[in-house]
Amino acid sequence: GKGDQGTQNDQIDLLIQKNVDVLVVNLVDVGAAQTVINKAKNADIPIIFFNREPSAEALKSYDKAVFIGTNAKEAGIIQGEIVVKTWNNGEYDKNKDGILQYVMLKGEPDNPEAVARTDYSVKTIKENGIDVEELGLQVCNWDTELANSAMSGWLTKYGDKIEFVIANNDAMAQGAVSALQSLGYNKGDKNKYIPVVGVDATDAAKDLISKGYMTATVLQDGKAMAEAINNIAINVSKGSEFLMGTIYNFDDSGKAVRIPYKSYEGEK
């Protein structure tokens, strides 16, 4: 869709004209879900959404619409647990004030995944009895270069006062690591290291973790999600129920299949 909902709508119209068996859609704009669902419903074509989750109300408006994805808050919770574990196992309270000073690299401003990861990571840290202070939060739209720029600015302003970097995804975490390394941090010296935690378990992040340049990430299991999309799409394209004969279950909404996240702290 090239980041444009109008373009995606035109593509969906074209696919409907071609009388496809099933539509599988990563929405550009979740706010357009009802419009897209109406198109599929009018054509009586099943539709599977993934990655960006439509509202429950929109999904319930069509019996042949479902969502396959993650539980957005789970990634934030696991991130928070990683931060708690790292904080408790290391000497990262540099100013010895008993407060975890952090910076947050956020994805898109209103993206449900970004909002949940931001909120629940910090909430989980607090629930584990750790006091926190946010030194900075920057929306970087999942982008490495924007995160690099934000991190560079924070390092100039705060320097060693930053005790943790929390990023909504690995691309931004990678940008933060690059900025840190340009100023001599996170190059293997444990005395000059600021923990960085991301989400996605990309190959680049795994490499940084293996070298000790990045702390950990959260695995969004793309392979498992792809398998679920494939199996469920084949099912419904043949006229069967979405989950018939599969290993999957709907959540309490009856409209969504959730693929669990996992922490990744390096190969064991």
Side-chain angles (χ1 to χ4, degrees):
K2 298 180 180 177
D4 180 77
Q5 189 59 52
T7 298
Q8 189 173 68
N9 288 349
D10 291 342
Q11 292 168 341
I12 289 167
D13 288 339
L14 180 61
L15 292 169
I16 289 172
Q17 288 172 19
K18 291 185 176 183
N19 198 31
V20 296
D21 296 311
V22 58
L23 290 162
V24 181
V25 181
N26 180 16
L27 281 166
V28 171
D29 177 8
V30 292
Q34 191 63 65
T35 299
V36 172
I37 287 171
N38 290 344
K39 290 176 183 290
K41 186 176 182 179
N42 291 338
D44 194 32
I45 296 174
I47 185 165
I48 297 170
F49 294 96
F50 71 100
N51 194 32
R52 293 185 178 92
E53 184 171 2
S55 69
E57 183 182 9
L59 285 172
K60 287 177 181 176
S61 70
Y62 182 33
D63 62 347
K64 295 181 182 177
V66 299
F67 172 72
I68 299 173
T70 54
N71 185 338
K73 69 180 183 181
E74 189 180 10
I77 291 169
I78 294 173
Q79 259 196 325
E81 290 171 347
I82 291 169
V83 173
V84 170
K85 177 182 174 182
T86 305
W87 178 260
N88 289 337
N89 290 349
E91 295 294 325
Y92 297 111
D93 188 8
K94 296 174 184 175
N95 56 8
K96 307 300 179 186
D97 65 351
I99 300 170
L100 189 157
Q101 276 89 16
Y102 72 92
V103 292
M104 176 73 71
L105 294 161
K106 187 175 180 180
E108 297 158 337
D110 300 317
N111 180 284
E113 289 278 349
V115 172
R117 291 174 189 182
T118 300
D119 292 348
Y120 280 91
S121 57
V122 177
K123 184 180 179 183
T124 301
I125 297 165
K126 291 178 179 177
E127 286 175 347
N128 279 271
I130 298 171
D131 292 327
V132 299
E133 179 186 358
E134 182 180 273
L135 298 179
L137 183 151
Q138 183 66 46
V139 171
C140 293
N141 296 317
W142 315 110
D143 184 78
T144 301
E145 290 305 317
L146 290 176
N148 182 296
S149 177
M151 191 70 216
S152 295
W154 285 328
L155 285 166
T156 299
K157 185 174 182 179
Y158 296 113
D160 266 351
K161 193 176 180 184
I162 300 169
E163 295 171 338
F164 239 99
V165 181
I166 305 172
N168 281 176
N169 78 335
D170 283 343
M172 295 188 295
Q174 189 178 345
V177 171
S178 177
L180 284 161
Q181 291 186 327
S182 70
L183 292 176
Y185 292 86
N186 294 38
K187 286 186 168 182
D189 182 354
K190 291 183 178 179
N191 296 316
K192 202 168 174 64
Y193 180 82
I194 297 175
V196 180
V197 179
V199 177
D200 285 335
T202 62
D203 288 342
K206 288 179 178 179
D207 183 55
L208 289 171
I209 292 166
S210 73
K211 293 174 178 174
Y213 302 156
M214 179 172 157
T215 307
T217 184
V218 181
L219 173 66
Q220 182 171 0
D221 198 339
K223 185 173 184 290
M225 192 181 296
E227 287 173 350
I229 292 167
N230 179 66
N231 294 339
I232 292 169
I234 288 172
N235 243 7
V236 75
S237 72
K238 294 177 178 177
S240 300
E241 294 294 320
F242 280 100
L243 306 187
M244 184 177 290
T246 71
I247 62 171
Y248 309 107
N249 297 296
F250 285 125
D251 66 4
D252 292 342
S253 72
K255 300 292 284 183
V257 172
R258 306 289 178 182
I259 307 300
Y261 284 102
K262 303 172 186 173
S263 64
Y264 181 89
E265 299 171 58
E267 298 296 338
K268 303 301 181 186

